[in-house]
PDB file of all heavy atoms in Angstrom:
ATOM      1  N   PRO A 426     -23.733 -19.200   1.368  1.00 95.00           N
ATOM      2  CA  PRO A 426     -22.382 -18.914   1.117  1.00 95.00           C
ATOM      3  C   PRO A 426     -22.172 -18.224  -0.344  1.00 95.00           C
ATOM      4  O   PRO A 426     -21.527 -18.950  -1.193  1.00 95.00           O
ATOM      5  CB  PRO A 426     -21.683 -20.283   1.190  1.00 95.00           C
ATOM      6  CG  PRO A 426     -22.729 -21.304   0.655  1.00 95.00           C
ATOM      7  CD  PRO A 426     -24.088 -20.731   1.203  1.00 95.00           C
ATOM      8  N   ALA A 427     -22.800 -17.140  -0.556  1.00 95.00           N
ATOM      9  CA  ALA A 427     -22.834 -16.556  -1.912  1.00 95.00           C
ATOM     10  C   ALA A 427     -21.395 -16.234  -2.405  1.00 95.00           C
ATOM     11  O   ALA A 427     -21.057 -16.603  -3.542  1.00 95.00           O
ATOM     12  CB  ALA A 427     -23.684 -15.306  -1.906  1.00 95.00           C
ATOM     13  N   GLU A 428     -20.643 -15.561  -1.587  1.00 95.00           N
ATOM     14  CA  GLU A 428     -19.293 -15.180  -2.014  1.00 95.00           C
ATOM     15  C   GLU A 428     -18.402 -16.416  -2.277  1.00 95.00           C
ATOM     16  O   GLU A 428     -17.570 -16.419  -3.221  1.00 95.00           O
ATOM     17  CB  GLU A 428     -18.704 -14.311  -0.969  1.00 95.00           C
ATOM     18  CG  GLU A 428     -17.202 -13.908  -1.344  1.00 95.00           C
ATOM     19  CD  GLU A 428     -16.820 -12.506  -0.778  1.00 95.00           C
ATOM     20  OE1 GLU A 428     -17.738 -11.875  -0.116  1.00 95.00           O
ATOM     21  OE2 GLU A 428     -15.689 -12.165  -0.981  1.00 95.00           O
ATOM     22  N   GLN A 429     -18.599 -17.425  -1.487  1.00 95.00           N
ATOM     23  CA  GLN A 429     -17.809 -18.684  -1.648  1.00 95.00           C
ATOM     24  C   GLN A 429     -18.206 -19.356  -2.984  1.00 95.00           C
ATOM     25  O   GLN A 429     -17.387 -19.897  -3.704  1.00 95.00           O
ATOM     26  CB  GLN A 429     -18.090 -19.539  -0.491  1.00 95.00           C
ATOM     27  CG  GLN A 429     -17.197 -20.773  -0.364  1.00 95.00           C
ATOM     28  CD  GLN A 429     -17.624 -21.661   0.795  1.00 95.00           C
ATOM     29  OE1 GLN A 429     -18.241 -21.217   1.747  1.00 95.00           O
ATOM     30  NE2 GLN A 429     -17.252 -22.911   0.781  1.00 95.00           N
ATOM     31  N   ARG A 430     -19.517 -19.377  -3.315  1.00 95.00           N
ATOM     32  CA  ARG A 430     -19.986 -20.080  -4.407  1.00 95.00           C
ATOM     33  C   ARG A 430     -19.777 -19.234  -5.641  1.00 95.00           C
ATOM     34  O   ARG A 430     -19.506 -19.848  -6.752  1.00 95.00           O
ATOM     35  CB  ARG A 430     -21.546 -20.326  -4.281  1.00 95.00           C
ATOM     36  CG  ARG A 430     -22.033 -21.424  -5.278  1.00 95.00           C
ATOM     37  CD  ARG A 430     -23.398 -21.767  -4.850  1.00 95.00           C
ATOM     38  NE  ARG A 430     -23.534 -22.378  -3.633  1.00 95.00           N
ATOM     39  CZ  ARG A 430     -24.720 -22.814  -3.131  1.00 95.00           C
ATOM     40  NH1 ARG A 430     -25.808 -22.582  -3.726  1.00 95.00           N
ATOM     41  NH2 ARG A 430     -24.812 -23.425  -1.984  1.00 95.00           N
ATOM     42  N   TYR A 431     -19.845 -17.982  -5.623  1.00 96.00           N
ATOM     43  CA  TYR A 431     -19.722 -17.076  -6.833  1.00 96.00           C
ATOM     44  C   TYR A 431     -18.665 -15.969  -6.520  1.00 96.00           C
ATOM     45  O   TYR A 431     -19.015 -14.741  -6.402  1.00 96.00           O
ATOM     46  CB  TYR A 431     -21.028 -16.462  -7.215  1.00 96.00           C
ATOM     47  CG  TYR A 431     -22.175 -17.434  -7.388  1.00 96.00           C
ATOM     48  CD1 TYR A 431     -23.209 -17.528  -6.558  1.00 96.00           C
ATOM     49  CD2 TYR A 431     -22.142 -18.247  -8.528  1.00 96.00           C
ATOM     50  CE1 TYR A 431     -24.200 -18.484  -6.789  1.00 96.00           C
ATOM     51  CE2 TYR A 431     -23.168 -19.106  -8.742  1.00 96.00           C
ATOM     52  CZ  TYR A 431     -24.228 -19.286  -7.891  1.00 96.00           C
ATOM     53  OH  TYR A 431     -25.168 -20.139  -8.104  1.00 96.00           O
ATOM     54  N   PRO A 432     -17.402 -16.324  -6.361  1.00 96.00           N
ATOM     55  CA  PRO A 432     -16.450 -15.375  -6.069  1.00 96.00           C
ATOM     56  C   PRO A 432     -16.261 -14.237  -7.049  1.00 96.00           C
ATOM     57  O   PRO A 432     -15.921 -13.093  -6.750  1.00 96.00           O
ATOM     58  CB  PRO A 432     -15.152 -16.114  -5.831  1.00 96.00           C
ATOM     59  CG  PRO A 432     -15.373 -17.422  -6.599  1.00 96.00           C
ATOM     60  CD  PRO A 432     -16.775 -17.669  -6.487  1.00 96.00           C
ATOM     61  N   GLY A 433     -16.490 -14.595  -8.352  1.00 96.00           N
ATOM     62  CA  GLY A 433     -16.245 -13.634  -9.394  1.00 96.00           C
ATOM     63  C   GLY A 433     -17.401 -12.603  -9.384  1.00 96.00           C
ATOM     64  O   GLY A 433     -17.187 -11.386  -9.686  1.00 96.00           O
ATOM     65  N   ILE A 434     -18.553 -13.018  -8.994  1.00 97.00           N
ATOM     66  CA  ILE A 434     -19.712 -12.026  -8.826  1.00 97.00           C
ATOM     67  C   ILE A 434     -19.491 -11.193  -7.641  1.00 97.00           C
ATOM     68  O   ILE A 434     -19.690  -9.958  -7.766  1.00 97.00           O
ATOM     69  CB  ILE A 434     -21.042 -12.812  -8.540  1.00 97.00           C
ATOM     70  CG1 ILE A 434     -21.308 -13.828  -9.697  1.00 97.00           C
ATOM     71  CG2 ILE A 434     -22.268 -11.841  -8.371  1.00 97.00           C
ATOM     72  CD1 ILE A 434     -21.643 -13.218 -11.027  1.00 97.00           C
ATOM     73  N   ALA A 435     -19.012 -11.719  -6.535  1.00 97.00           N
ATOM     74  CA  ALA A 435     -18.728 -10.969  -5.400  1.00 97.00           C
ATOM     75  C   ALA A 435     -17.653  -9.911  -5.676  1.00 97.00           C
ATOM     76  O   ALA A 435     -17.776  -8.751  -5.294  1.00 97.00           O
ATOM     77  CB  ALA A 435     -18.234 -11.862  -4.242  1.00 97.00           C
ATOM     78  N   ALA A 436     -16.609 -10.294  -6.441  1.00 97.00           N
ATOM     79  CA  ALA A 436     -15.540  -9.314  -6.773  1.00 97.00           C
ATOM     80  C   ALA A 436     -16.129  -8.258  -7.635  1.00 97.00           C
ATOM     81  O   ALA A 436     -15.826  -7.096  -7.392  1.00 97.00           O
ATOM     82  CB  ALA A 436     -14.412 -10.141  -7.605  1.00 97.00           C
ATOM     83  N   HIS A 437     -16.989  -8.584  -8.558  1.00 98.00           N
ATOM     84  CA  HIS A 437     -17.548  -7.544  -9.388  1.00 98.00           C
ATOM     85  C   HIS A 437     -18.436  -6.542  -8.570  1.00 98.00           C
ATOM     86  O   HIS A 437     -18.404  -5.361  -8.806  1.00 98.00           O
ATOM     87  CB  HIS A 437     -18.368  -8.155 -10.528  1.00 98.00           C
ATOM     88  CG  HIS A 437     -18.957  -7.115 -11.420  1.00 98.00           C
ATOM     89  ND1 HIS A 437     -18.115  -6.357 -12.272  1.00 98.00           N
ATOM     90  CD2 HIS A 437     -20.219  -6.576 -11.530  1.00 98.00           C
ATOM     91  CE1 HIS A 437     -18.942  -5.505 -12.851  1.00 98.00           C
ATOM     92  NE2 HIS A 437     -20.158  -5.588 -12.480  1.00 98.00           N
ATOM     93  N   LEU A 438     -19.251  -7.071  -7.689  1.00 98.00           N
ATOM     94  CA  LEU A 438     -20.109  -6.227  -6.911  1.00 98.00           C
ATOM     95  C   LEU A 438     -19.385  -5.275  -5.982  1.00 98.00           C
ATOM     96  O   LEU A 438     -19.828  -4.212  -5.708  1.00 98.00           O
ATOM     97  CB  LEU A 438     -21.118  -7.001  -6.138  1.00 98.00           C
ATOM     98  CG  LEU A 438     -22.054  -7.893  -7.018  1.00 98.00           C
ATOM     99  CD1 LEU A 438     -23.080  -8.606  -6.039  1.00 98.00           C
ATOM    100  CD2 LEU A 438     -22.946  -7.063  -7.898  1.00 98.00           C
TER     101      LEU A 438
END
Side-chain angles (χ1 to χ4, degrees):
Chain A
E428 178 151 356
Q429 187 182 341
R430 194 173 294 178
Y431 304 108
I434 304 292
H437 180 72
L438 294 180

